[in-house]
Amino acid sequence: YTSDPAAATGRIEAVLKVIKDRVEFVQAVPAAEEDIAAVHTKYHIAEVTRERLYDIAALAAGGAIQAAEIGLKEPCFALIRPPGHHASANSAWGFCFFSNMAIAMEKLKRENRIKTAMVLDIDLHFGDGTVNTLGSKDYVSILNPGSSSRERYIDEVKKFLDSKQADIIGISAGFDHHKEDWGGLLATSDYTEIGRMVKEAAAKNKGGYFAILEGG
């Protein structure tokens, strides 16, 4: 959809090749204009439209909404592009255009399907857009782990998950902290452990959980 690295041909196809026999796929549908406008300004939406990226960005946001809705009942992963955690209400950078996580969470809250939420952003880069769009909302707790060791990173995640009660947990799933990516910190088993901890926290809360693809 653009020439940037996040849109490089083959990225999503590589994931599909690995998981195609292990999951049930759900076709994404675009987010409604009112759901996008609940998070982003008219100016920003117009800028994304001017760049001819509205359709693909709305499709990603819609996939995030679907994942959140499904996540209320069973685990769901939004395998979507473009990512969204660097998108604020009136601006965006880092290959992001719309705040997929914020659009999904705000829709659930607006429709009274949740009262409380947690966002765990495990991407290498700080999710400034998510914080800018959701950080002032009293129903959401957000963590961008900042520890520089594997053990402390996992412990930081665990403490966050244990500290809150939430109807849903959303994971901004960036994988650029992986040892084989430029973060060079986490092993594949660490991501498995994070997933296990989220599953247990959701079960304890009697809530749901879902994830959205970010970077890496």
Side-chain angles (χ1 to χ4, degrees):
Y1 52 89
T2 70
S3 60
D4 68 50
T9 300
R11 287 174 69 99
I12 297 297
E13 288 77 6
V15 180
L16 292 174
K17 183 178 179 181
V18 173
I19 68 172
K20 62 182 175 66
D21 298 322
R22 302 170 59 186
V23 300
E24 176 187 350
F25 288 100
V26 176
Q27 191 71 31
V29 296
E33 290 183 16
E34 57 265 30
D35 293 328
I36 297 171
V39 172
H40 293 285
T41 65
K42 290 181 179 180
Y43 170 82
H44 181 64
I45 294 170
E47 283 295 293
V48 173
T49 303
R50 184 183 62 78
E51 295 172 11
R52 292 195 272 184
L53 291 165
Y54 180 90
D55 289 346
I56 189 68
L59 185 61
I65 290 171
Q66 289 169 269
E69 291 174 336
I70 294 170
L72 290 170
K73 298 179 180 179
E74 60 180 308
C76 190
F77 190 99
L79 183 60
I80 54 177
R81 274 293 190 252
H85 77 150
H86 294 309
S88 298
N90 200 45
S91 63
W93 69 285
F95 316 131
C96 301
F97 305 105
F98 291 148
S99 182
N100 301 323
M101 181 65 74
I103 290 169
M105 288 297 194
E106 285 284 86
K107 183 175 177 65
L108 292 185
K109 185 66 168 65
R110 205 165 53 250
E111 295 179 351
N112 295 316
R113 301 177 72 176
I114 60 169
K115 292 183 179 179
T116 55
M118 300 172 74
V119 175
L120 172 61
D121 191 331
I122 57 172
D123 194 276
L124 170 63
H125 305 95
F126 184 81
D128 58 308
T130 305
V131 171
N132 290 341
T133 51
L134 291 177
S136 62
K137 310 287 184 178
D138 58 8
Y139 75 93
V140 187
S141 300
I142 304 171
L143 175 68
N144 287 262
S147 302
S148 57
S149 78
R150 288 176 60 194
E151 294 78 13
R152 288 197 296 269
Y153 191 100
I154 298 298
D155 188 57
E156 189 177 353
V157 172
K158 183 179 188 304
K159 287 180 178 177
F160 173 70
L161 293 172
D162 289 345
S163 69
K164 307 290 181 181
Q165 182 82 19
D167 296 323
I168 197 160
I169 302 170
I171 308 168
S172 280
F175 296 96
D176 34 11
H177 252 313
H178 195 279
K179 285 189 171 183
E180 295 181 18
D181 210 317
W182 63 340
L185 181 67
L186 301 177
T188 301
S189 60
D190 295 323
Y191 290 102
T192 303
E193 176 65 9
I194 290 169
R196 184 193 65 78
M197 289 191 295
V198 170
K199 179 180 179 180
E200 288 186 355
K204 179 191 70 174
N205 296 337
K206 295 181 172 57
Y209 61 106
F210 69 103
I212 294 173
L213 185 63
E214 298 287 359

